[in-house]
Amino acid sequence: MFTVYSDKNIFENIILDREQIPNWHNIFCNHADVCLDMTDQELEIELQDGTIIFEYVKLNGGKLPIAHKPFFSNVYQDYSIIVNNPRSAFFLDVTEDKAKEIQDSFGIIVQSLNSIDDNILKGTYYKNLPVNSVCKNVNKIGWHCLLNFSLPPSNSIVLTDNFLFSNEDGNRGTANFIHFIDSILPDSLTTDFHILLLAQEHKDKDQAWCERKAGEIKTAFGNLNKPYNIIFELVFAETIHKRIAISNYYTLTPDKGFAIFKTNDNKTVHEDTDIQLDRIFNRLNKNEGDSEFLNADYSLHSIKKICLTVAQYISNRPNDKNYRILGDCNKNKSLKNRLINDV
């Protein structure tokens, strides 16, 4: 379940102002666990006929908000702790400028009473890419041209593609992956950016090849000269057979994988394909089916299960060529990626 942490006054404004803030109202009422800056005793007092919280409980079939005041006290003392909740949103008692500063610093959605963006989690983008078409717009090419629009805040991404390294000894997949990551990285953060790639191993690739590939990608990320550290983890295993990139608040699905552009020409499409990017609550109403948040949640659980299985397998058979975890992972092969650790 999506979690929203909200100042009580902001929460009440959203519940009351359904017409002006319809998307967040829908999320609060139908898609989220709501944690409020209140004590249990304060919440108990509000659970009586006539209060806004009481009306909210009736709207939700008796589901209560969660009193979470100590957590808010910690947040106001140290805003950095919000990175431990990478798929949540925060409505804080701060100025509009302060909310933007916190959001930009940590890649987590932060709103204030005077700066509620009702569309930040809603929206979709689709692009058809015929073979040999050229993606170029002034000085932006390839993935930078495709994703030449504002994305939601982010500090992490998980990507799975079972054929990413199956082309031209992995060179086209490697080049596309690095170019894609460069196109979605934020300009600045005051925390690490986490990247996890799950790719399928092939029996003709030995340990040395896998280590070279991980090192090559890690070096390329360092050469991007971002003003923050990038934590990169690479897992070779059986994938979930779904090509998808999952960030904090959006997913991107390519029809034929992420190796879209030609090996030595990262602006020209290799074969007919398409991509679609969805913010996690582009589908909010019941008649629209599952939200993209639920889709991402399911995929993250599946990926986490695979990675835990691989880590256990490696501990029992460390020299098996089919299963490897490389990069900035922990010594016991557990992952640091905050999206994986959030499910």
Side-chain angles (χ1 to χ4, degrees), residues 2 8 13 35 38 43 49 51 53 92 100-101 109 113 123 128 135 140 162 178 182 190 229 258 265 318 323 330:
F2 186 67
K8 177 177 178 288
N13 272 273
C35 299
M38 302 177 69
L43 179 59
D49 195 14
T51 67
I53 289 180
L92 302 179
K100 185 179 186 307
E101 177 190 329
I109 288 177
L113 179 59
N128 183 45
C135 293
K140 294 188 176 182
N162 52 338
I178 294 166
D182 189 24
T190 58
N229 185 43
F258 288 86
D265 180 4
Y323 300 96
N330 296 309

Side-chain angles (χ1 to χ4, degrees), residues 89-232:
F90 292 80
F91 290 78
L92 302 179
D93 183 17
V94 295
T95 65
E96 179 178 347
D97 288 344
K98 188 63 177 179
K100 185 179 186 307
E101 177 190 329
I102 302 167
Q103 179 170 285
D104 292 347
S105 293
F106 301 110
I108 302 291
I109 288 177
V110 179
Q111 311 270 281
S112 76
L113 179 59
N114 297 318
S115 62
I116 296 176
D117 182 350
D118 197 43
N119 293 309
I120 194 168
L121 292 181
K122 192 169 177 63
T124 188
Y125 170 80
Y126 173 83
K127 184 68 175 176
N128 183 45
L129 298 165
V131 62
N132 292 324
S133 58
V134 176
C135 293
K136 181 178 181 180
N137 182 13
V138 190
N139 61 339
K140 294 188 176 182
I141 64 172
W143 278 106
H144 286 273
C145 179
L146 286 181
L147 303 181
N148 187 25
F149 51 86
S150 178
L151 292 171
S154 66
N155 58 33
S156 310
I157 197 163
V158 173
L159 186 147
T160 177
D161 185 338
N162 52 338
F163 292 111
L164 185 66
F165 297 135
S166 299
N167 46 76
E168 299 134 56
D169 200 30
N171 292 326
R172 180 158 59 89
T174 303
N176 272 267
F177 175 61
I178 294 166
H179 194 197
F180 167 73
I181 292 297
D182 189 24
S183 72
I184 60 92
L185 286 174
D187 291 333
S188 62
L189 285 174
T190 58
T191 188
D192 299 333
F193 193 96
H194 289 193
I195 301 169
L196 169 63
L197 171 61
L198 182 66
Q200 186 162 328
E201 237 286 55
H202 298 278
K203 293 182 178 179
D204 60 332
K205 307 298 189 219
D206 59 17
Q207 178 74 14
W209 184 93
C210 295
E211 290 178 353
R212 282 197 303 272
K213 185 60 61 179
E216 175 186 350
I217 295 171
K218 177 70 175 178
T219 298
F221 289 155
N223 291 337
L224 297 177
N225 294 318
K226 292 295 181 179
Y228 49 84
N229 185 43
I230 294 175
I231 300 295
F232 173 59

